[in-house]
Amino acid sequence: MNQTQQSHCLDPDDFGILLKILNEKGYLTVGPTRRDGAILYDVLESMYDLPIGWTDEQEAGIYRLKRRDDNALFGYNVGPHSWKKYLFPSKTKLWSATKKGAGFEIDGEADAPPTYAFIGVRACELHAIQVQDKVFMGGIFQDPIYTGRRQDCLIVAVNCTQAAKTCFCTSMQTGPKVNDGYDLVLTEIIDEARHYFVIESGSDVGADILKELTTSPAEQDDFQAAATHIENAKKQMGRTVDMTDIKDVLYHNYDNKRWEELEKRCLACGNCTMACPTCFCSNVEDVTDLTGEHAERWRTWDSCFTMDFSNIHGGSIRASIGSRYRQWLMHKLATWIDQFGSSGCVGCGRCIAWCPVGIDLTEEVKAISDSEEGDRNGTHQDN
Amino acid sequence: MSYEASKKYPMQPVPFHVLKMQEEIPDCYTLTLQPEFNVVSSFSPGQFYMLYVFGHGEVPISVSGNSFEMGTLMFTIMTIGSVTKALCSVCVGDVVGVRGPFGKGWPLEQVKGRDVLIIAGGLGLAPLRPLIYHLISHSADYGIITLLYGTRTPDMILFQDELASWDDRDDMRVFLTVDSAGSEWHGHAGVVTELIEKIGIDTVRTTALTCGPEIMMRFTAHALLGKGLAASDIYISMERNMKCALGHCGRCQYGPHFICKDGPVFAFDQVEYLFKVREV
C-alpha cells in the first residue's frame, strides 16, 4: 500500500461533508440524480440530490427505477448518461470568428470550463474515460476541449455491489471493482448491523481530502465486507461475452448473414451510440449569423447509424442499416483494438438497455462466434 | 495565428489569401494560397489540408502544387458540394481558412531506385501532381516514370500543357485515354486499365501509385495484381467523409484505419481485404 492509499470508514450521513469539502475546494460536484424516471448525471448540491433508496431494473430494451427497501446512496447501476457528457459535451462551440476586411479573425478564447468532481464513477465508466483519454489526448493532436475538462477532474469512484441484468464488465475485465485512475473510491456496505462506506484514496489529492473527513479507521472485517459485496456484483452479472480472439473472429465475419438479420431489426436510431460511454464520433457544423459578419464552428455528437455520417459525393458509403450496425459493432470490439490498443466496449450494458428494440451486443457476438465455429468445423475446412 | 497556436487549437483555421485563381477545366479551379501571417507550412506530396470558406464550411483537399515552392499552397478543386462551390467562387485577395497538412502522403522513400507507374483517374491527377514534381526534380533517384491518365472526355483532361512537357522529358512517358470522345480525339479511348495492357511493366522493379474514383482504383489494383505486381507495391489514395482530420471525429474510419491519419495513401496490401467488403 503506497502513501496515497489510505482506507477509512465513512458514515453515509457524512457523505454530504465530502461534497461540501469538494465544493469549497472549487470543484463542481456532479453525479447521479433521479429525474424523468431515470438516473441522470447532474449537479449535486447536496447528498440528497442522489437517488437515495432507489434502484434500477434493466433488461434488453427495458429500464425502470424502483424503490429499494434501504437507504443506499449508490444502490443502482449505470443509466443513460455517462461522464462523456462533461468531458466531451454533446454540443460545443469550437470557435467563433468575425469578418475583418477580406479575411476573418478568430475571437478570443472561450471561458474556462468548471473543474469537475465526478461523484459515483463506476469501474466500467472509469475504463470508458480512460478509453476516451486515448482518443482525445493520446494521438498526434490533443483535443483542447476534452483535455481542458479532463486534466483537473477529480474522480470519486464507487465499487459496484450489485449488477444489472445488462452488465458484463467481468467479461470485459473492467469491473466491478475499481482498480486505478481514481482519487477516492467508496464501497457502500449495507448489512443487518450497519450501513457505511469503506473509503480509500488513490491519489495525493484524494488522500488530502480524506484527511479532512470525519472517518474511523477501516478494520480487516470492513475490507472483508467490501470484498464480499463486490463479489456479490460479480455473481449477479447478467451477461457474458467470450472475448477469446474476438478481433479475429469479427474480422473474419464481415460477410456474416447475421448482419442481414440486424438490417431487419435495427432502427438506426443511434440510441446505443448516444448512451455508449466510449462512442466519440462527432459532426462539425459551420454557421453564420444573419449579418454574415460572424461565424461559428460547432461540434456535436454524431452517430455512425446516420446516413449522413458516411456521406461523400455519390452518396452514403453505408447505405444499409446492416452495414451501419456492423460498423458500430466491429469498431467497438475489433477495429478499436487496432486503433487504440484496447476494446472500445467496457461492458456497461447501456446499449442493450437503451436499444428500443432490445438488440443485445452480447447476443450478436455470440451468434457470430457460433457461426464462425460452424465455419471452422465444417463448411470452410478446405480454406 | 502562429503554427504553434494552430497545434494547440487544431480545429482553428489559419487565414490564407488567394494569390491566384485559375480555371483548369469546366467547374474546376486551381487556387494558389499564401498565408496572411508567418506560417510555416511544408507538406509532403499526397497530404491534404482542410479548407474553410468563412461561414460556408470546410472540406478536405489534397495539395496539387509543388512541395518545393515554399510559402504558397495550391489546391485543384472541382465544384461538387456547397463548400467546393464556395471555394471555386472566391476572388484573388479573398481569404480562406487553412488547417494542415494532414495524413500520410506518397511513399517517396520506398519508391527510390524503382520504376514508378502513376495511374490517375479524373481529378485524381491533382493529388499526384506534387508527386510527379518531386520525381522529376529527383529523377536520378528513380527509374522510368510512367503516367497513365484517364478522364471521361477530352475536355476533362487536367494540366494539359504540363502533360505535354512531362511527355517530352527523357525520364518520363505519358499515356492518355478518355472514356468517350468525338472524332476530334485521336488518342486512346477506353478505361485507364486498358493502358496497363499497352505498356511494358517490369513487375519486379515497378511501384504503382494510383488515385481516382474508388472503382477505378479497384480495377487498376486488380489489373496490376494480374500483371504480377505485389499488393505491397501498389499504393492508393482513399477518400471518406471527414470532419476534423485529427483522428477525433471518427467519420473517415475505413476498417481499422483512420483515412485522415493512417492515410489517405495506403499500400494496397493494407486494405485489400476491405476492398472486398461492401459498404465498409
Side-chain angles (χ1 to χ4, degrees):
Chain A
M1 188 177 284
N2 64 41
Q3 280 190 326
T4 59
Q5 243 179 334
Q6 298 175 18
S7 303
H8 294 265
C9 293
L10 178 75
D11 192 280
D13 292 334
D14 290 338
F15 191 84
I17 298 171
L18 171 61
L19 297 182
K20 198 161 166 285
I21 290 169
L22 293 172
N23 290 151
E24 281 168 4
K25 287 182 184 292
Y27 290 102
L28 179 64
T29 45
V30 292
T33 66
R34 185 171 63 88
R35 201 178 76 214
D36 301 334
I39 285 164
L40 306 178
Y41 295 157
D42 208 336
V43 174
L44 297 177
E45 285 177 355
S46 86
M47 66 178 274
Y48 300 105
D49 288 334
L50 290 167
I52 300 173
W54 287 88
T55 193
D56 51 26
E57 203 174 62
Q58 303 195 42
E59 244 308 339
I62 294 169
Y63 180 93
R64 297 276 182 280
L65 291 189
K66 58 178 193 181
R67 295 292 318 200
R68 293 174 64 94
D69 53 12
D70 58 29
N71 283 323
L73 274 64
F74 296 97
Y76 38 83
N77 292 102
V78 293
H81 280 183
S82 71
W83 304 100
K84 77 176 179 184
K85 74 174 260 191
Y86 296 110
L87 298 173
F88 169 51
S90 60
K91 192 169 189 218
T92 328
K93 186 163 75 176
L94 296 177
W95 50 260
S96 65
T98 308
K99 219 170 195 172
K100 201 182 163 203
F104 60 90
E105 204 169 72
I106 304 276
D107 301 334
E109 286 189 39
D111 295 340
T115 308
Y116 290 110
F118 293 167
I119 310 297
V121 180
R122 306 303 177 123
C124 62
E125 300 190 291
L126 201 40
H127 277 271
I129 291 170
Q130 289 164 345
V131 165
Q132 285 209 331
D133 285 350
K134 283 191 207 160
V135 175
F136 291 116
M137 308 199 299
I140 312 161
F141 296 98
Q142 282 77 51
D143 178 56
I145 290 166
Y146 186 93
T147 310
R149 287 161 173 262
R150 176 72 172 108
Q151 57 196 5
D152 297 321
C153 169
L154 185 108
I155 290 180
V156 179
V158 168
N159 285 318
C160 284
T161 54
Q162 63 182 49
K165 285 182 182 156
T166 45
C167 288
F168 56 103
C169 66
T170 45
S171 297
M172 307 309 294
Q173 298 182 314
T174 56
K177 190 179 187 303
V178 172
N179 284 323
D180 62 357
Y182 59 88
D183 295 289
L184 288 167
V185 62
L186 298 132
T187 312
E188 187 168 31
I189 295 165
I190 303 178
D191 53 31
E192 292 79 18
R194 285 176 75 190
H195 176 195
Y196 67 105
F197 289 104
V198 170
I199 180 166
E200 295 162 88
S201 56
S203 70
D204 292 342
V205 179
D208 287 344
I209 292 162
L210 193 47
K211 278 184 204 143
E212 294 182 46
L213 284 167
T214 312
T215 56
S216 58
E219 308 290 343
Q220 191 54 40
D221 285 355
D222 301 317
F223 293 124
Q224 189 53 51
T228 309
H229 275 64
I230 296 166
E231 197 56 37
N232 188 44
K234 274 191 193 171
K235 285 182 192 150
Q236 288 179 11
M237 208 56 54
R239 281 166 160 79
T240 56
V241 177
D242 181 4
M243 289 295 286
T244 319
D245 299 329
I246 187 77
K247 193 179 89 173
D248 293 335
V249 168
L250 290 174
Y251 277 166
H252 288 158
N253 281 282
Y254 268 106
D255 293 322
N256 198 290
K257 289 267 180 284
R258 191 76 185 183
W259 310 120
E260 290 165 29
E261 291 302 310
L262 285 153
E263 168 84 22
K264 295 175 202 154
R265 294 174 64 204
C266 176
L267 307 176
C269 70
N271 258 17
C272 50
T273 55
M274 299 293 110
C276 177
T278 67
C279 272
F280 61 83
C281 288
S282 63
N283 187 21
V284 171
E285 205 176 6
D286 287 298
V287 294
T288 48
D289 64 4
L290 284 174
T291 66
E293 296 295 309
H294 186 78
E296 293 178 349
R297 174 168 293 171
W298 286 81
R299 179 173 75 189
T300 51
W301 285 0
D302 201 0
S303 173
C304 53
F305 283 89
T306 68
M307 280 284 266
D308 182 58
F309 187 82
S310 63
N311 193 57
I312 53 172
H313 52 88
S316 187
I317 297 280
R318 298 184 201 103
S320 75
I321 292 177
S323 74
R324 282 176 255 158
Y325 187 90
R326 182 182 65 188
Q327 164 62 25
W328 179 74
L329 187 81
M330 279 276 184
H331 188 211
K332 283 289 134 187
L333 291 168
T335 56
W336 207 299
I337 299 171
D338 279 334
Q339 292 169 352
F340 301 105
S342 73
S343 171
C345 174
V346 294
C348 71
R350 283 180 176 91
C351 58
I352 303 170
W354 293 94
C355 176
V357 295
I359 296 173
D360 177 349
L361 167 142
T362 65
E363 193 180 298
E364 298 314 316
V365 170
K366 189 169 185 313
I368 289 163
S369 301
D370 287 353
S371 65
E372 166 92 346
E373 206 57 37
D375 282 354
R376 278 181 185 169
N377 297 336
T379 47
H380 292 307
Q381 244 175 12
D382 50 336
N383 288 350
Chain B
M1 185 194 304
S2 69
Y3 181 68
E4 284 67 34
S6 72
K7 268 295 246 202
K8 193 176 170 199
Y9 300 103
M11 285 299 281
Q12 291 189 4
V14 177
F16 276 53
H17 62 261
V18 180
L19 203 64
K20 208 176 147 197
M21 179 87 183
Q22 187 184 338
E23 187 172 10
E24 301 285 358
I25 52 173
D27 300 323
C28 179
Y29 295 81
T30 294
L31 274 65
T32 307
L33 305 178
Q34 192 171 42
E36 288 280 274
F37 311 107
N38 242 354
V39 183
V40 183
S41 199
S42 63
F43 69 94
S44 180
Q47 284 193 301
F48 70 95
Y49 285 77
M50 297 297 283
L51 300 187
Y52 168 73
V53 183
F54 189 81
H56 282 268
E58 200 179 44
V59 283
I61 306 281
S62 293
V63 194
S64 66
N66 197 328
S67 56
F68 297 103
E69 273 170 21
M70 295 297 285
T72 59
L73 292 172
M74 261 187 186
F75 300 94
T76 302
I77 303 162
M78 182 83 97
T79 59
I80 300 286
S82 60
V83 181
T84 48
K85 210 162 273 178
L87 277 167
C88 289
S89 309
V90 295
C91 304
V92 170
D94 281 357
V95 172
V96 298
V98 175
R99 296 194 291 125
F102 297 114
K104 292 198 174 76
W106 301 108
L108 303 175
E109 285 303 311
Q110 287 91 319
V111 292
K112 269 194 181 155
R114 296 179 63 79
D115 289 347
V116 186
L117 175 60
I118 299 163
I119 306 174
L123 198 60
L125 182 60
L128 286 163
R129 190 166 70 162
L131 168 79
I132 296 169
Y133 289 146
H134 181 95
L135 297 177
I136 58 180
S137 62
H138 296 78
S139 62
D141 292 343
Y142 303 97
I144 304 163
I145 305 161
T146 308
L147 170 64
L148 312 182
Y149 181 35
T151 65
R152 266 181 245 160
T153 52
D155 63 348
M156 299 292 276
I157 297 171
L158 279 173
F159 315 137
Q160 298 221 18
D161 295 344
E162 275 182 304
L163 288 170
S165 73
W166 292 337
D167 196 31
D168 286 343
R169 297 178 63 97
D170 293 337
D171 52 7
M172 187 167 174
R173 20 178 218 165
V174 176
F175 300 91
L176 302 181
T177 183
V178 294
D179 292 349
S180 62
S183 54
E184 74 286 355
W185 176 254
H186 301 296
H188 189 273
V191 290
V192 76
T193 45
E194 290 172 15
L195 294 180
I196 297 171
E197 297 301 323
K198 289 195 169 293
I199 58 159
I201 306 172
D202 181 342
T203 53
V204 180
R205 276 183 52 89
T206 302
T207 299
L209 311 164
T210 176
C211 184
E214 202 166 312
I215 187 152
M216 167 259 170
M217 293 195 291
R218 175 197 309 270
F219 281 102
T220 299
H222 286 143
L224 293 168
L225 291 172
K227 278 271 173 195
L229 246 73
S232 55
D233 286 330
I234 303 168
Y235 289 83
I236 59 166
S237 181
M238 291 296 296
E239 187 179 10
R240 281 293 181 270
N241 186 314
M242 205 177 274
K243 292 288 178 183
C244 74
L246 312 173
H248 295 164
C249 79
R251 285 191 169 225
C252 69
Q253 285 179 76
Y254 183 51
H257 311 292
F258 286 87
I259 304 265
C260 69
K261 56 176 186 178
D262 305 322
V265 174
F266 293 95
F268 194 62
D269 60 344
Q270 286 179 277
V271 294
E272 191 175 3
Y273 71 105
L274 293 167
F275 262 70
K276 294 174 184 158
V277 185
R278 290 175 68 88
E279 298 187 285
V280 71

